[in-house]
Amino acid sequence: MPLLGRDVVLVDAVRSPFGRARPDGLYAHTRADDIAVAVVRELLRRHPSLVPDRIGDLALAATTQQGDQGLTLGRTVGLLAGLPRTVPGYAIDRMCAGAMTAVTNVAAQIAIGAIDAAVAGGVEHMGRHPLGASADINPRFVAERLVSTDALVMGATAENLHDRYPRLTRPRADAYAAASQRKYARALAEGHIDADLVPVGVPDPERGWGLATADEPPRPGTTVAGMEGLATPFRAGGRVTAATSSPLTDGATAALLMDAATAADLQLEPRLRLVSYAYTGVEPEVMGVGPVPATHRALELAGLTMEDIGLIEINEAFAVQVLAFLDAFEIADDDPRVNPYGGAIAVGHPLAASGVRLMSQLARQFATHPEVRYGITTMCVGLGQGGTVVWENPHHASSHSTDRRSTDD
């Protein structure tokens, strides 16, 4: 059955430029919460008709909730961003799907009428907080064989996918990764990336203040030939390399959501309309297949099939994970519906922030493709989960019809 309650729309989604998580990276000397503050401030500045008092909640995700990513991020970032003290906020964690979950959580609040508008997003400073670095893993996981040790290393789970599905070869993964870099470079040159980027002031102890205005991770000159000699860090003689993995990344994202009536009242044009969403669990050892059952469930809830989906934004945690999804739905590796602007292999994957990046890219693609009615954002999640959101294109001719979920157009 479709989503119940009021229509929920995404009015806008923005992000910081993404930086490489390393000692000389873009945000090496910048606090995680300050990156998030810059993004939230700019999101609201772009929409002055929305009085901040009308924001009903601020949900921000982080996978590693400690240090400058701790202390209830939604609340602290809201206060630092200058929101009224009456606006509440909270933090959330679903690892890679943190921002996606923040969006669907506040969407549910909006749908039932608890609030009219909300901000949702995520931040990850992997340079300061590497994945799992401070985690105290319960010994029962391994001692009682609840999961294998592979499940706790994301790159190892990618190698497991190569093992399980013989069609998922290294040459296919290399070719996919090179294509992601090319597509991102083309999208950047055509002006599809910069409009959603928020400049962030970045301090440097030696050079003073600077301004982050562009993504740092992309390697536009990447070729399949250049990948052939790369090491396989997760397994000797393996198939997963740095080139077919998303780089460790710092960055933040934020989205503005509200019910359709509030958006109309404020004369704000929706960029996406929420249709359905789903989260599912899979074997932690092959967490990369998570998007498959999540997508099946989300499509079922929407009353749609993959044939109805005209655009697909899938997070490229690893090339092999995307290929597993494509094979499950019998989609070609080079299908033009999939990540037209490239993906995380090129631009980076700041864990909990990435879900909203997928949404911002889908929104921009919807605007340039009004003939497409439905699209999805989907991603795998560490420890064996998947998440998918189905969206309708507000620019499509049928989006304002009485039966918006009819699929016979």
Side-chain angles (χ1 to χ4, degrees), residues 84-391:
R85 296 188 177 189
T86 53
V87 176
Y90 63 100
I92 196 164
D93 173 24
R94 200 197 296 265
M95 295 190 77
C96 305
M100 176 180 282
T101 304
V103 165
T104 55
N105 275 12
V106 300
Q109 292 175 265
I110 294 168
I112 67 170
I115 58 176
D116 294 329
V119 173
V123 63
E124 209 76 53
H125 198 308
M126 299 184 75
R128 292 190 175 191
H129 310 289
L131 176 62
S134 63
D136 181 8
I137 305 297
N138 194 306
R140 290 183 52 225
F141 276 114
V142 176
E144 299 180 17
R145 299 185 179 181
L146 299 176
V147 299
S148 77
T149 54
D150 284 352
L152 305 177
V153 180
M154 298 304 103
T157 69
E159 289 284 9
N160 290 342
L161 282 179
H162 277 292
D163 292 341
R164 181 168 295 195
Y165 302 103
R167 294 190 67 246
L168 302 179
T169 63
R170 176 168 174 175
R172 281 183 68 191
D174 287 353
Y176 182 88
S180 180
Q181 297 280 0
R182 289 195 303 271
K183 288 190 288 185
Y184 174 86
R186 182 173 64 247
L188 181 65
E190 294 176 352
H192 298 307
I193 303 297
D194 288 346
D196 293 327
L197 296 187
V198 175
V200 178
V202 290
D204 185 285
E206 296 181 358
R207 293 175 291 179
W209 282 85
L211 196 63
T213 59
D215 294 316
E216 189 177 25
R219 296 183 181 276
T222 300
T223 64
V224 171
M227 298 180 193
E228 292 178 356
L230 292 179
T232 56
F234 303 107
R235 180 190 298 173
R239 286 147 291 190
V240 179
T241 69
T244 56
S245 310
S246 56
L248 302 179
T249 313
D250 306 329
T253 60
L256 177 61
L257 295 103
M258 57 188 65
D259 72 287
T262 296
D265 180 55
L266 297 174
Q267 297 184 322
L268 296 173
E269 289 292 329
R271 298 179 68 190
L272 302 172
R273 188 184 73 83
L274 183 63
V275 178
S276 69
Y277 63 89
Y279 299 94
T280 58
V282 297
E283 295 173 73
E285 295 80 5
V286 285
M287 68 94 190
V289 299
V292 176
T295 298
H296 279 301
R297 178 61 176 158
L299 290 174
E300 178 186 5
L301 290 171
L304 302 172
T305 69
M306 188 57 80
E307 293 182 357
D308 300 304
I309 303 302
L311 286 164
I312 299 168
E313 276 294 318
I314 179 169
N315 192 47
E316 297 170 355
F318 300 93
V320 66
Q321 161 255 313
V322 178
L323 296 174
F325 176 89
L326 299 181
D327 283 359
F329 288 97
E330 298 182 343
I331 298 172
D333 294 3
D334 60 352
D335 191 303
R337 293 177 295 172
V338 181
N339 292 4
Y341 297 165
I345 287 173
V347 76
H349 174 28
L351 300 181
S354 288
V356 167
R357 179 191 64 79
L358 301 177
M359 297 169 193
S360 67
Q361 292 197 179
L362 180 65
R364 196 153 295 282
Q365 292 154 21
F366 270 178
T368 58
H369 292 284
E371 75 280 5
V372 172
R373 185 171 184 181
Y374 297 107
I376 63 171
T377 54
T378 185
M379 60 200 315
C380 59
V381 186
L383 298 183
Q385 298 184 78
T388 299
V389 187
V390 179
W391 303 93

